[in-house]
Amino acid sequence: MLSELGNLSVLISIILSFFLIFFSLRELKLNLIKPTSKIINLSRLQLSFTIMSFIILLLGYLFSDFSIINVYENSHSTKPLLYKVSGVWGNHEGSLLLWINVLVIFSYLFFKKNIGVNKKFQLLTLIFQNILILGFFIFLVTTSNPFSKIFPVPQEGLGLNPILQDPALAIHPPLLYLGFVGSSIYFSAALASLISKFDGKNFATVSKPWVLISWLFQTLGILVGSIWAYYELGWGGYWFWDPVENSSLIPWFLMTALFHSILVLEKRDGIYLWVIILSILTFTMSVTGTFLVRSGILNSVHTFANDPSRGMFILTFLSIMIFSSVYIFYKFSPTEERSFKFFSKEFFILTNNWFMIFFLITVLIGTIYPIFLEVLTSQKISIGPPYYNTVLAPFLIPLLFIMAYGPKTSWIISKPFKIKKILFTLLISSLITFFIIFLIDQKNYLINILLISSLYLILQSLFDLFKNLDNKKQKKTFVNKSSLVSHLGFGLFIFFISLNSIMSIEYDLNIKVGEKKQLNEFEISLDDLKVYDDKNFKKFVGDVTILDNKNNIIEKLKPEIRIYNSPETITYEASIKSNIFSDTYVTMSNISRSEFYNIKFHKKPFMNLIWLSTILIVFGGFLRAIGRKF
Amino acid sequence: MKNFKQLFISLIFFGILFSNLFANDNLQNKIYKNLRCIVCQGQSIADSNSDFANTIKSVVNDKVNEGMNEKQIYNFLSQKYGDWILYNPPLKGNSYLLWILPYVFFIIGAIVLFFLLKKTLKHKRY
């Protein structure tokens, strides 16, 4: 029943997409000032039916309708409500439906918001967006229909992978999708803008909010994902430079570059073509990432159940997207004349773009190089954290200094640096770094310089922030507070990451129940092991005590080994005691054919502060999104 | 002014000198992190709980105790399991491009920026 309804509403949405394209094309030729209400109504209908198809799938999960294969494969009647809901997008088919929903929602909102801006631009954007929608609907129907039926109807579902049964992971995919699928709207708008010869300045004004919104969600999505990885994977880290993490980071670099450079276009009417290129690239890269993940080409923790025909479809679609964008770009791109002075906001923003593109290219090369190498020479190599750290980290140093100055510069031509102030700030940040080096054993040059430069950015942003809060009268020296907040957040982020990387302590030991192990400055004992039965899993809980040199108890922790029954999976739950300055982190696993347990003990400083500084980065963007005053 | 600079430069210098006195990173842990668990999906030896990872850990421990240095251990393991096991691909024939390309693009970016600054550019596309 639900299955038929689902298929029906998908079908209606597809037909509505055709209608939208058809009528928009017709209205393009008519002599109108703005699109007629027919288009808006069609768009609204499309929105309703697409959301309805999603709700129907959701109902399938809520009522455990196992006649739908997708529900049968990914749900279970005893599963908690939250994970029934998140199960909808915890699999390929459902997440594709979510993807399409985001495409449609953004399409509708963009259309609604910009009525009367420019008829041709608006209709063309709608057409391009609907071509995307149609493409993904066809993908959904032909290779990954979430509403396919199964007969005879099974009594019970197979259950959701326990590692995905987690609140952070329940909201991680929707956030990310709002980010990188949201970028589709400025992809479409960029192509439309080229063809309709839309004014560059207006294009910037119209698409700026969408870039910012998608960036906000993308950042949050990445943050939630890495928080999840930190406590759920039990590996003690929060970023693994996993290919799939990389494919969420690549669009992030582009969005960051874009919402900086779009300001140049808005305020100075320059670099129109570059902004267009970035807009097109962001969504293209998002789809490329999806292709790499869903086709199973990459070896990664995120790999979904994959299927070559899906890979082929996305690859074909991607190629069409790229070729037609390149064609439209060459055919319609206008002549542009612009020059910049060295000391201007324009220049600083372009420098940001330069670094972002460098980061992007490095991450991209690191992600796809092994694939190409294997295809061409059948040699297999791995590219992991050491590569990215070596190549990327040194470039953060100049970036941090540039970020300290960017927000203060003015358009066209800025006042020269005040050398004395720069040196003073440098002096203070070096002193603080010096003090830190003194406190902890520290041997890494790169980290020392990173500490100095991130402190420099932090101090500079704080000075500027306080200065701008103070004298409200001085409107002449208007400095964007939201960007100061975000830059401050980034400075703190790098500062805490650097400290975390050098101050983390970790031990990996094998221990029997009742045994004690002496480490350098700690003593660890596994006092007891208890077995409990829970609703849908059985768990072994270890009692781990951490003592210091003088035999004082520092922490008592309870890491778990969980054995889920549907589907049968073993997961290792980290036990984390966390405060603002430091996390104590223990995971436990059994070693097969022996009575030993493997205990990983981490002391990880400033984890919460790393999360908080990322939230500060997002907060800056949020301030900008809600009001022009900031 | 001059004093400021001198003070600053000497500070940095001392910072670097001073900081080099300490070195107590746990070698084994560092090596675990740079090895891929080749039976897992994108996990390092340090992260993994698999039997394979446990075996490799004990191999690494033995080799460290035998007095092998980091590089020798990587060589030993990559001879046995191929470069696939190393997260930090060594610079050789098949990875020159990997290590060089990012810098090439960085320089290209610099050149583009330079020309943008230098004069009013007349350009159709870039």
Side-chain angles (χ1 to χ4, degrees):
Chain A
M1 176 52 188
L2 281 174
S3 160
E4 282 80 15
L5 278 178
N7 277 322
L8 187 66
S9 58
V10 166
L11 188 70
I12 294 176
S13 307
I14 293 177
I15 295 171
L16 284 169
S17 286
F18 275 116
F19 276 179
L20 270 172
I21 295 173
F22 176 77
F23 286 116
S24 302
L25 281 172
R26 219 175 58 174
E27 288 201 2
L28 269 180
K29 294 194 197 100
L30 297 177
N31 192 14
L32 295 166
I33 310 163
K34 58 182 192 182
T36 58
S37 55
K38 180 163 68 187
I39 303 278
I40 302 169
N41 289 336
L42 275 174
S43 190
R44 194 173 292 142
L45 264 183
Q46 183 194 36
L47 179 74
S48 322
F49 276 100
T50 314
I51 292 181
M52 188 142 92
S53 64
F54 188 78
I55 292 174
I56 290 170
L57 187 62
L58 182 66
L59 289 176
Y61 272 84
L62 290 180
F63 295 116
S64 297
D65 180 355
F66 297 125
S67 67
I68 301 172
I69 297 185
N70 189 256
V71 179
Y72 159 71
E73 282 178 343
N74 299 294
S75 193
H76 192 280
S77 55
T78 62
K79 214 164 59 168
L81 184 68
L82 174 66
Y83 305 125
K84 281 186 180 162
V85 176
S86 70
V88 178
W89 51 76
N91 60 83
H92 169 73
E93 289 81 1
S95 65
L96 191 62
L97 191 60
L98 177 65
W99 173 298
I100 294 172
N101 269 271
V102 177
L103 282 175
V104 173
I105 291 169
F106 273 71
S107 170
Y108 173 74
L109 290 178
F110 187 82
F111 191 79
K112 185 98 197 298
K113 187 114 200 300
N114 296 313
I115 287 176
V117 170
N118 176 314
K119 187 199 86 179
K120 206 174 170 196
F121 166 72
Q122 223 198 335
L123 286 172
L124 280 167
T125 309
L126 191 67
I127 291 171
F128 282 118
Q129 187 75 1
N130 268 289
I131 293 174
L132 295 177
I133 293 169
L134 211 51
F136 282 99
F137 259 131
I138 292 170
F139 181 35
L140 182 91
V141 173
T142 52
T143 69
S144 0
N145 190 349
F147 297 109
S148 296
K149 289 184 82 159
I150 184 168
F151 192 83
V153 179
Q155 285 300 307
E156 192 48 271
L158 298 177
L160 178 69
N161 184 350
I163 213 167
L164 304 180
Q165 297 188 21
D166 181 274
L169 208 70
I171 57 164
H172 167 66
L175 285 174
L176 265 188
Y177 277 24
L178 284 170
F180 67 76
V181 185
S183 72
S184 64
I185 197 67
Y186 40 95
F187 170 87
S188 304
L191 292 180
S193 164
L194 281 173
I195 297 180
S196 64
K197 310 226 167 355
F198 193 42
D199 177 51
K201 242 179 147 146
N202 287 337
F203 171 72
T205 317
V206 165
S207 47
K208 197 175 75 173
W210 305 93
V211 178
L212 194 59
I213 289 168
S214 60
W215 177 85
L216 280 174
F217 283 114
Q218 184 82 4
T219 318
L220 277 176
I222 295 175
L223 172 69
V224 170
S226 65
I227 293 177
W228 168 79
Y230 174 64
Y231 67 77
E232 182 70 28
L233 289 179
W235 304 351
Y238 49 92
W239 190 262
F240 303 94
W241 294 104
D242 177 276
V244 178
E245 291 175 333
N246 292 349
S247 12
S248 70
L249 200 57
I250 289 172
W252 187 88
F253 288 137
L254 285 165
M255 287 171 192
T256 311
L258 184 56
F259 82 67
H260 283 89
S261 57
I262 211 163
L263 291 174
V264 179
L265 182 58
E266 191 189 23
K267 297 271 156 48
R268 301 274 296 124
D269 201 9
I271 59 166
Y272 173 61
L273 291 180
W274 176 238
V275 169
I276 294 284
I277 291 175
L278 284 177
S279 308
I280 292 173
L281 265 182
T282 311
F283 187 61
T284 312
M285 281 298 166
S286 306
V287 178
T288 310
T290 312
F291 161 67
L292 291 174
V293 179
R294 299 294 166 87
S295 63
I297 286 179
L298 295 170
N299 182 305
S300 137
V301 266
H302 287 72
T303 320
F304 279 77
N306 42 55
D307 168 356
S309 68
R310 287 175 192 160
M312 276 317 293
F313 188 97
I314 308 183
L315 193 60
T316 315
F317 190 69
L318 185 63
S319 321
I320 296 173
M321 253 175 65
I322 293 173
F323 281 119
S324 32
S325 334
V326 169
Y327 172 77
I328 291 171
F329 186 78
Y330 274 83
K331 183 108 200 288
F332 294 96
S333 58
T335 321
E336 220 188 357
E337 261 180 64
R338 189 60 54 184
S339 71
F340 298 108
K341 295 263 180 348
F342 169 67
F343 217 70
S344 61
K345 199 173 217 85
E346 293 91 314
F347 175 70
F348 273 85
I349 285 178
L350 284 172
T351 318
N352 153 296
N353 279 219
W354 175 29
F355 276 83
M356 285 304 141
I357 298 299
F358 167 71
F359 291 152
L360 165 115
I361 285 176
T362 309
V363 175
L364 188 65
I365 290 173
T367 312
I368 60 174
Y369 190 85
I371 305 172
F372 279 99
L373 190 71
E374 199 181 341
V375 171
L376 295 176
T377 67
S378 67
Q379 295 172 26
K380 271 183 115 171
I381 64 165
S382 297
I383 295 169
Y387 171 77
Y388 298 101
N389 294 341
T390 319
V391 178
L392 297 181
F395 286 86
L396 284 173
I397 295 161
L399 182 68
L400 287 162
F401 283 112
I402 293 163
M403 283 176 75
Y405 267 84
K408 298 212 309 180
T409 50
S410 354
W411 297 103
I412 309 172
I413 181 95
S414 205
K415 276 180 262 165
F417 287 138
K418 288 186 179 126
I419 306 284
K420 228 176 190 167
K421 278 190 177 167
I422 294 180
L423 280 178
F424 181 68
T425 321
L426 255 182
L427 181 78
I428 297 179
S429 29
S430 322
L431 279 174
I432 300 175
T433 308
F434 202 49
F435 183 66
I436 294 169
I437 296 169
F438 196 79
L439 276 182
I440 54 172
D441 303 352
Q442 193 346 36
K443 53 154 189 151
N444 191 324
Y445 304 138
L446 180 65
I447 298 278
N448 287 345
I449 303 174
L450 268 178
L451 286 177
I452 294 178
S453 38
S454 54
L455 273 169
Y456 182 83
L457 172 58
I458 295 167
L459 292 173
Q460 188 65 55
S461 307
L462 280 177
F463 288 157
D464 293 343
L465 212 52
F466 282 122
K467 213 166 86 187
N468 277 284
L469 287 177
D470 267 2
N471 45 0
K472 283 171 191 161
K473 291 167 205 161
Q474 272 190 302
K475 284 205 170 153
K476 262 191 219 162
T477 53
F478 175 77
V479 176
N480 199 312
K481 287 183 205 73
S482 57
S483 63
L484 287 176
V485 172
S486 281
H487 285 203
L488 172 65
F490 187 77
L492 289 166
F493 178 69
I494 298 293
F495 180 69
F496 289 124
I497 279 191
S498 309
L499 283 182
N500 177 277
S501 77
I502 49 172
M503 288 168 70
S504 287
I505 298 168
E506 58 179 281
Y507 292 102
D508 186 306
L509 51 131
N510 296 335
I511 194 170
K512 278 190 238 177
V513 178
E515 206 181 355
K516 250 185 194 182
K517 272 257 164 91
Q518 181 70 47
L519 306 164
N520 288 344
E521 64 262 65
F522 299 103
E523 199 173 72
I524 296 185
S525 67
L526 177 58
D527 302 328
D528 199 2
L529 194 71
K530 296 189 191 94
V531 188
Y532 298 95
D533 271 316
D534 212 307
K535 197 176 174 190
N536 53 347
F537 57 83
K538 194 168 134 181
K539 62 181 178 186
F540 296 80
V541 183
D543 278 330
V544 176
T545 312
I546 319 264
L547 303 143
D548 66 6
N549 280 335
K550 290 162 200 131
N551 257 345
N552 301 316
I553 295 173
I554 303 178
E555 212 73 79
K556 274 182 174 292
L557 294 136
K558 292 183 183 301
E560 295 174 17
I561 303 173
R562 284 187 188 173
I563 302 173
Y564 283 81
N565 42 28
S566 53
E568 189 157 305
T569 324
I570 300 178
T571 67
Y572 308 96
E573 302 288 312
S575 170
I576 306 171
K577 285 275 162 70
S578 143
N579 62 39
I580 193 92
F581 293 114
S582 179
D583 280 15
T584 313
Y585 184 110
V586 166
T587 55
M588 174 180 75
S589 62
N590 52 319
I591 297 173
S592 48
R593 294 177 302 278
S594 84
E595 49 190 327
F596 281 97
Y597 288 84
N598 179 266
I599 301 257
K600 289 195 187 89
F601 164 58
H602 298 244
K603 197 92 181 141
K604 302 191 81 68
F606 305 124
M607 288 309 298
N608 282 329
L609 291 171
I610 293 177
W611 310 136
L612 278 177
S613 32
T614 316
I615 290 170
L616 196 60
I617 298 176
V618 175
F619 182 65
F622 179 70
L623 282 181
R624 169 58 77 87
I626 56 164
R628 295 189 66 86
K629 262 182 273 172
F630 296 97
Chain B
M1 197 72 234
K2 219 176 169 185
N3 290 340
F4 253 133
K5 258 188 201 163
Q6 277 173 353
L7 188 61
F8 172 66
I9 290 168
S10 49
L11 257 180
I12 296 238
F13 182 74
F14 274 109
I16 288 170
L17 236 171
F18 196 88
S19 58
N20 202 27
L21 293 174
F22 305 98
N24 67 343
D25 211 18
N26 188 334
L27 182 63
Q28 276 99 322
N29 276 336
K30 192 181 165 204
I31 297 176
Y32 298 163
K33 278 190 188 155
N34 287 341
L35 297 174
R36 178 194 282 274
C37 166
I38 56 182
V39 300
C40 318
Q41 289 279 343
Q43 270 179 296
S44 75
I45 290 292
D47 303 331
S48 173
N49 297 313
S50 67
D51 289 351
F52 176 81
N54 285 330
T55 316
I56 295 292
K57 277 180 200 166
S58 50
V59 171
V60 170
N61 289 347
D62 291 346
K63 297 291 166 195
V64 169
N65 291 338
E66 279 171 28
M68 271 195 181
N69 65 27
E70 204 181 330
K71 222 171 180 175
Q72 285 168 324
I73 295 176
Y74 292 148
N75 277 336
F76 172 79
L77 287 169
S78 72
Q79 269 167 19
K80 228 170 156 179
Y81 298 99
D83 285 344
W84 179 238
I85 200 171
L86 303 179
Y87 262 139
N88 196 11
L91 187 63
K92 63 179 191 190
N94 63 14
S95 63
Y96 277 130
L97 270 182
L98 171 70
W99 285 101
I100 291 165
L101 271 181
Y103 301 108
V104 171
F105 277 103
F106 189 77
I107 292 164
I108 293 176
I111 294 168
V112 171
L113 261 186
F114 178 75
F115 277 107
L116 251 167
L117 282 177
K118 197 154 180 232
K119 52 181 180 172
T120 307
L121 269 186
K122 257 197 168 165
H123 43 187
K124 254 202 153 86
R125 357 188 128 103
Y126 54 100

